[in-house]
Amino acid sequence: MALTREQMAQRVAQELADGYYVNLGIGIPTLVANYVPDDIDVMLQSENGLLGMGEFPTEEELDADLINAGKQTVTMATGASIFSSAESFAMIRGGHVDLTVLGAFEVDVNGNIASYMIPGKLIKGMGGAMDLVAGADNIIVTMTHASKHGESKLLSNCSLPLTGKNCIKKVLTDLAYLEIKEGKFHLLEYAPGVSIEQIQSLTEGELVISDNVREMKIA
């Protein structure tokens, strides 16, 4: 059974470490803020100029002027700060973000990512994605394994315009957790109720089954 968006966010949250500065992209990545483990302190950064995002607000906490890069209302954690987007991008480009979590349309075996444009469809622009993939060494992509038509999004070569080249090392889909190395997808974990054969059938790029592949642990 494929993971829900919330379960994907829970699994990504397991990759957080104490003291991390983390940027969460638009979509599924924003949900990670709700699942930060209680025993660690992380600072969530938004490229519009906020360091220290908290969970999504309740109706009582809602402040329409306090938003993330996706224009969703957010809360501020203790010790948070607000600054200009120029300073925010200086943090990103300077390599001061420990982990970046991004959504994507496609990822390929070379670590290329396409995440901002589908030809023929109206787009708002690149946003901060190009800076994030260039300025971070530790990037996790969250996405569905296949399109609603059953077409793989884990490819030999991306077909859409690229956001970045040779920059993605790990991908979490609704079916699996994979590492990209040596021009191949390496299966590390599979979602509960999902077979390895199902993952293979929906992975266009070359797939290697890790010797210690295991079932994903979701609370």
Side-chain angles (χ1 to χ4, degrees):
M1 184 174 179
L3 299 179
T4 64
R5 291 164 58 90
E6 288 74 18
Q7 288 174 322
M8 292 172 69
Q10 288 178 47
R11 178 59 189 87
V12 171
Q14 296 174 24
E15 300 300 305
L16 302 176
D18 192 44
Y20 264 17
Y21 291 90
V22 181
N23 183 284
L24 302 177
I26 295 170
I28 295 170
T30 61
L31 299 175
V32 176
N34 292 332
Y35 299 103
V36 177
D38 293 333
D39 59 345
I40 65 172
D41 288 317
V42 300
M43 294 295 278
L44 302 178
Q45 190 250 17
S46 181
E47 58 261 36
N48 60 319
L50 171 60
L51 181 65
M53 281 190 297
E55 297 181 359
F56 284 113
T58 63
E59 189 171 338
E60 293 75 23
E61 296 172 321
L62 189 107
D63 180 348
D65 292 324
L66 188 59
I67 60 173
N68 62 18
K71 298 181 176 60
Q72 297 169 304
T73 52
V74 294
T75 59
M76 292 175 64
T78 301
S81 58
I82 297 174
F83 37 84
S84 74
S85 60
E87 290 174 298
S88 185
F89 277 98
M91 291 178 62
I92 293 167
R93 294 166 184 163
H96 303 294
V97 176
D98 298 298
L99 173 65
T100 294
V101 186
L102 294 174
F105 298 134
E106 297 175 345
V107 173
D108 69 26
V109 295
N110 297 308
N112 300 327
I113 176 174
S115 66
Y116 80 101
M117 179 181 180
I118 297 177
K121 292 192 176 183
L122 181 66
I123 60 167
K124 296 181 180 179
M126 175 71 75
M130 184 177 288
D131 299 273
L132 287 162
V133 298
D137 289 328
N138 190 8
I139 303 169
I140 298 177
V141 167
T142 61
M143 60 192 292
T144 55
H145 208 98
S147 71
K148 60 183 179 181
H149 303 296
E151 299 166 335
S152 178
K153 295 183 178 182
L154 277 66
L155 308 175
S156 299
N157 290 286
C158 288
S159 62
L160 297 173
L162 296 184
T163 306
K165 296 184 67 175
N166 309 119
C167 54
I168 306 305
K169 297 175 183 175
K170 291 184 178 178
V171 182
L172 176 76
T173 75
D174 54 341
L175 305 182
Y177 187 38
L178 310 101
E179 183 177 14
I180 302 174
K181 61 181 181 180
E182 300 166 351
K184 301 172 185 177
F185 292 111
H186 293 254
L187 179 63
L188 304 178
E189 300 177 12
Y190 54 89
V194 173
S195 70
I196 292 176
E197 290 74 22
Q198 182 181 359
I199 295 168
Q200 287 176 315
S201 69
L202 292 173
T203 307
E204 186 212 88
E206 186 174 353
L207 180 67
V208 175
I209 311 301
S210 171
D211 291 336
N212 59 348
V213 64
R214 61 188 183 276
E215 183 177 286
M216 200 178 297
K217 293 183 179 180
I218 301 293

